[in-house]
Amino acid sequence: MPEQTEIRTTERAAPPPPPPAPPATSDAAVIRDALGVGIAVGLSGFAFGVTSAGVGLSLLQTCALSLLVFTGASQFALVGALAAGGNPLTAAAGAFFLGARNAFYGLRLSAVLGYRATVKPFAAHWIIDETSAVTLAQPDRRTARLGFTVTGLSLYVLWNLTTLAGALGAEALGDTAAWGLDAAGPAVFLALLAPMLRETVERVAAGLAVVLVMVTLPLLPTGVPVLVSALAAPAVLVVQGRRGQGTPQEPGAVRAGDDGPPARPDGTPESRPATEEDRA
């Protein structure tokens, strides 16, 4: 009697449904948040105008820095180095290194915003900490463009107006430290960044970056500690990768990319039918 081989057909479980789409963000909410950032940080231009005039820069030089450079931290670094008696070339080099981080923002925002080549040079002038934070917080390209435009426009206009007012009224305002205006920009940026640090790896990287800045700040020229702090992210990722490779795999665990045995319609795994090689 010829041996009969039973051929069994199995059905794979249906793929899981796609994850739900992120909730839509209304235009009014995006504009409200963007204007809040633009106004809060734009007021810091008062402090820059006063500080710049206090170190001996003319009204034209002060306003030109805000119009053409438009990177608040770099501008403060420049006038701060000049106020400390530093060489103008050294002060400019430190400001340049501090502003170099915007180039990395630009690489990320270029894909998010998707502007044409003719628009990118103009948009690049507005790529700073605050516009990057607002843009990357949006769920889609349309709201990302809206947030970038409103933040950049409101911040650029207000920053330059308050720079002019600060330079003109430097004597009336007095010491900028008493007003605390120089802390408004970093405070707003930290308020935007903190809610984005949801995972432990992100928090560890942020904490290590702070430590690197605090350690290198007294030792390195202005602007360089910020670049050194960028090493925190790859360092944490390397450590995480090594820990993942050293974790032993449990017996019977399914490796990444392995679909495992086929499943019955009810979702329970089904063993593979024995083949001739298995019987042998």
Side-chain angles (χ1 to χ4, degrees):
M1 181 176 182
E3 182 180 358
Q4 295 181 353
T5 303
E6 181 182 359
I7 301 177
R8 300 171 62 184
T9 59
T10 59
E11 297 181 0
R12 291 183 178 271
T25 305
S26 65
D27 292 351
V30 176
I31 294 175
R32 179 196 61 215
D33 295 341
L35 285 177
V37 173
I39 293 173
V41 180
L43 294 175
S44 302
F46 279 114
F48 172 72
V50 172
T51 305
S52 179
V55 301
L57 295 182
S58 67
L59 177 64
L60 180 60
Q61 291 172 328
T62 300
C63 293
L65 281 174
S66 287
L67 286 169
L68 303 178
V69 179
F70 188 53
T71 53
S74 299
Q75 295 175 228
F76 276 112
L78 175 64
V79 298
L82 293 177
N87 183 280
L89 294 179
T90 304
F96 172 80
F97 282 117
L98 186 58
R101 69 192 187 281
N102 295 331
F104 298 99
Y105 293 155
L107 294 176
R108 180 71 179 93
L109 294 186
S110 178
V112 174
L113 297 173
Y115 285 137
R116 298 190 301 270
T118 55
V119 180
K120 286 182 178 180
F122 300 97
H125 193 51
W126 285 355
I127 295 180
I128 54 176
D129 298 330
E130 292 76 18
T131 55
S132 300
V134 173
T135 302
L136 295 177
Q138 307 310 319
D140 52 61
R141 174 168 291 181
R142 186 185 64 81
T143 53
R145 288 183 174 182
L146 179 62
F148 177 81
T149 302
V150 174
T151 306
L153 180 61
S154 60
L155 181 53
Y156 185 76
V157 171
L158 188 56
W159 177 268
N160 282 280
L161 289 176
T162 53
T163 296
L164 175 62
L168 292 175
E171 295 182 0
L173 288 176
D175 185 12
T176 57
W179 293 76
L181 297 177
D182 54 340
V188 172
F189 182 68
L190 289 177
L192 290 170
L193 181 63
M196 301 176 67
L197 303 177
R198 299 185 180 93
E199 299 182 1
T200 303
V201 175
E202 297 172 346
R203 294 171 182 172
V204 171
L208 180 58
V210 172
V211 172
L212 290 175
V213 169
M214 298 300 293
V215 170
T216 58
L217 191 61
L219 306 175
L220 299 178
T222 303
V224 178
V226 176
L227 299 179
V228 173
S229 67
L231 299 175
V236 172
L237 292 177
V238 168
V239 173
Q240 184 191 27
R242 290 181 177 177
R243 291 181 59 185
Q245 293 176 358
T247 304
Q249 191 173 14
E250 297 181 0
V254 179
R255 297 179 179 178
D258 186 5
D259 293 333
R264 294 191 181 97
D266 60 356
T268 59
E270 181 176 3
S271 59
R272 178 176 54 87
T275 62
E276 295 295 335
E277 296 180 357
D278 295 334
R279 297 191 184 97

